[in-house]
Amino acid sequence: MTEELVALRSLKGTTKGSDLFTEVNASVDKLGLKWNTLVSVITDGCPNMTGKNVGLLKRMQDKVNEINPEQKLIFLHCIIHQEVLCKSVLQISHVVDVVTKTVNFIRARALNHRQFVSLLEEQESEHSDIGYHTAVRWLSLGKVLKRVWDLRAEIQTFCQMKGKDIPEFSDKHWIADLAFAIDVTTLMNELNTKLQGKGLFAHEMFSLVTAFMRKLKFLSSQLKINILTHMPTLKEVTPSADHLDKYSSMFAALNDEFSRRFEDFKAVESEMHMVSSPFTCCVDNAPSDIQLELIDLQSDNLLKELFKSVSLLEFYSSLKEENFPHIRRHAQRMLVLFGSTYVCEQTFSLMKFNKSRYRSSLSDDHLCAVLRISTSDIEPNFSELVRAQNRLDYSH
């Protein structure tokens, strides 16, 4: 799919739903794929993708219905993208704005930066520098907030030397908000990191999100009774009862936002659970065409032991087609679901890295070749490639 990703990323002119569908349809035809085997589509939720009348998803569903009117595609919004969007309900902009301005004051001017680094060296600080926060990189926010927290005394001293007053650093209410922001962004960063990577099934990613939502409820209830065991930074400042109530409400609001944004995954949650835990799921909640097969499966002790010792792919591959045809097809349908657009975004990052302004003469064919190598796990046999050449030219 490397060439197809390059084509989609290199769209020129408009990028309406019709334009995207034209490219997708051309890619499907080029690869010889069949539209009736399409199960689901994962997007980032932008209007040209999800438009109800002329969006890409609507056009793809219409295309599938031309072949099989009964087939319904599963449309999901990337889990990682939604997790990042949930941060919008956190009322920490007053903290982020002050931290960003402070970091920019230190880093934007070369002299200030050098003097600040020298100050850290003189005071033998644990950290040797402070980094920028990039708005498009959510993970960087938590790291910058934590670094500012660790260096707040040094930062305050440096700013006083420069005649720049930062009153928030002396405000106990703002400091408490900073401590809370650090703890909550740390929790979200941990979730974001777990959701990244290749080879994750959609049900595994949704299980991580579900566990995180339970944590939010738990932390919200603990804050109400002044238990800060799992809020190490906030615990250092001894927040007031009013602060704890506010932070508890913010956790509750964050949980509500997660619940709202992940409704599309909840629609297929029971089906995913049946695939990931076939021996513990309720037969009554299973689709009617697999209920009898599921009873046979749950009654087979040998298969139950096999399930514990092999991967999901190996387990469902081992099921005989004549005994469990519907369960096998249902498992195939659920296991091919993508929980996120991580693989595509990673490829686009590699493309952007390779196709820089310093390599403006790089053609699409060359770019495809570079991406094929960078996204493959196969190592080229350079020795064999060299020996295959009739003549070697050595540079003087």
Side-chain angles (χ1 to χ4, degrees):
M1 288 293 287
T2 303
E3 294 85 350
E4 285 64 40
L5 288 171
V6 172
L8 289 173
R9 195 62 168 185
S10 303
L11 277 174
K12 297 177 176 63
T14 60
T15 55
K16 297 182 293 185
S18 57
D19 302 317
L20 294 173
F21 179 76
T22 299
E23 292 295 335
V24 170
N25 191 39
S27 298
V28 170
D29 291 340
K30 181 178 179 180
L31 293 170
L33 301 176
K34 297 180 180 179
W35 278 101
N36 60 350
T37 61
L38 181 62
V39 174
S40 70
V41 184
I42 311 299
T43 72
D44 59 0
C46 57
N48 56 355
M49 292 278 191
T50 60
K52 294 182 179 179
N53 299 319
V54 294
L56 173 64
L57 301 186
K58 175 63 166 59
R59 293 174 183 272
M60 294 179 75
Q61 181 65 71
D62 291 342
K63 182 68 175 180
V64 170
N65 287 345
E66 291 177 4
I67 304 171
N68 182 4
E70 302 298 325
Q71 184 176 351
K72 297 296 182 183
L73 299 180
I74 299 174
F75 297 135
L76 299 174
H77 189 163
C78 171
I79 282 185
I80 297 179
H81 188 240
Q82 290 191 95
E83 186 262 347
V84 174
L85 291 177
C86 286
K87 75 180 188 298
S88 60
V89 301
L90 293 175
Q91 302 171 16
I92 59 174
S93 59
H94 63 295
V95 173
V96 176
D97 291 344
V98 172
V99 168
T100 301
K101 290 179 181 179
T102 303
V103 172
N104 289 344
F105 173 75
I106 296 173
R107 289 294 305 261
R109 300 178 183 178
L111 177 60
N112 284 358
H113 188 205
R114 290 196 302 271
Q115 290 176 339
F116 182 71
V117 171
S118 297
L119 175 64
L120 296 181
E121 292 177 353
E122 292 174 4
Q123 298 190 1
E124 298 182 349
S125 174
E126 178 184 355
H127 303 290
S128 59
D129 201 355
I130 192 171
Y132 282 115
H133 160 50
T134 305
V136 296
R137 296 176 60 192
W138 167 244
L139 289 176
S140 71
L141 176 59
K143 295 177 181 178
V144 172
L145 293 177
K146 185 65 170 72
R147 182 61 59 87
V148 169
W149 174 266
D150 294 338
L151 295 175
R152 62 189 185 279
E154 291 85 348
I155 292 174
Q156 197 167 16
T157 299
F158 178 78
C159 289
Q160 289 174 353
M161 291 168 51
K162 287 291 184 177
K164 180 178 177 60
D165 183 37
I166 308 179
E168 289 83 1
F169 277 60
S170 302
D171 184 348
K172 64 179 183 179
H173 300 294
W174 187 87
I175 290 295
D177 289 346
L178 172 60
F180 171 78
I182 292 170
D183 287 334
V184 71
T185 52
T186 298
L187 288 169
M188 294 192 70
N189 283 357
E190 290 175 356
L191 172 62
N192 193 286
T193 302
K194 291 177 181 178
L195 294 174
Q196 295 182 28
K198 298 179 181 180
L200 285 174
F201 291 116
H203 69 267
E204 293 175 320
M205 301 182 73
F206 187 65
S207 294
L208 291 172
V209 171
T210 304
F212 183 76
M213 292 170 63
R214 291 184 59 189
K215 291 177 184 178
L216 292 177
K217 286 185 177 181
F218 176 73
L219 292 172
S220 177
S221 63
Q222 283 209 319
L223 287 176
K224 287 182 179 179
I225 55 178
N226 196 19
I227 297 179
L228 304 176
T229 306
H230 304 287
M231 305 287 287
T233 312
L234 187 60
K235 191 175 182 179
E236 295 181 30
V237 300
T238 314
S240 65
D242 291 338
H243 280 121
L244 292 176
D245 288 339
K246 181 177 71 171
Y247 301 148
S248 176
S249 299
M250 290 173 70
F251 270 132
L254 186 59
N255 177 70
D256 292 341
E257 183 68 5
F258 266 83
S259 180
R260 182 183 71 83
R261 287 193 175 274
F262 286 96
E263 288 182 353
D264 52 351
F265 278 90
K266 288 182 179 179
V268 293
E269 182 179 10
S270 61
E271 296 182 71
M272 291 192 295
H273 177 67
M274 196 218 74
V275 172
S276 62
S277 305
F279 291 95
T280 58
C281 69
C282 180
V283 175
D284 294 334
N285 297 331
S288 58
D289 59 332
I290 66 172
Q291 286 178 329
L292 296 182
E293 292 182 11
L294 189 59
I295 293 175
D296 290 335
L297 181 71
Q298 293 180 348
S299 303
D300 194 318
N301 292 327
L302 292 178
L303 290 177
K304 187 177 297 185
E305 292 301 318
L306 178 64
F307 181 78
K308 298 177 182 178
S309 59
V310 299
S311 66
L312 282 179
L313 289 177
E314 292 174 320
F315 174 75
Y316 285 107
S317 298
S318 68
L319 297 182
K320 295 181 179 180
E321 176 68 26
E322 58 270 22
N323 295 335
F324 305 101
H326 295 94
I327 287 182
R328 280 172 57 92
R329 282 194 289 274
H330 183 77
Q332 290 172 348
R333 186 167 177 264
M334 290 294 107
L335 293 177
V336 298
L337 291 182
F338 281 93
S340 74
T341 58
Y342 176 83
V343 175
C344 292
E345 295 298 334
Q346 187 183 50
T347 305
F348 292 152
S349 296
L350 288 169
M351 185 189 303
K352 184 178 179 181
F353 176 78
N354 283 285
K355 197 171 185 178
S356 66
R357 62 190 180 93
Y358 301 108
R359 306 178 69 181
S360 57
S361 61
L362 192 68
S363 67
D364 284 348
D365 290 339
H366 290 148
L367 181 59
C368 289
V370 170
L371 288 178
R372 187 176 295 279
I373 294 173
S374 60
T375 57
S376 173
D377 295 330
I378 301 175
E379 294 186 5
N381 189 340
F382 291 107
S383 299
E384 183 62 30
L385 291 173
V386 170
R387 282 196 298 269
Q389 298 298 316
N390 296 326
R391 181 172 59 88
L392 297 178
D393 292 330
Y394 295 95
S395 171
H396 64 279

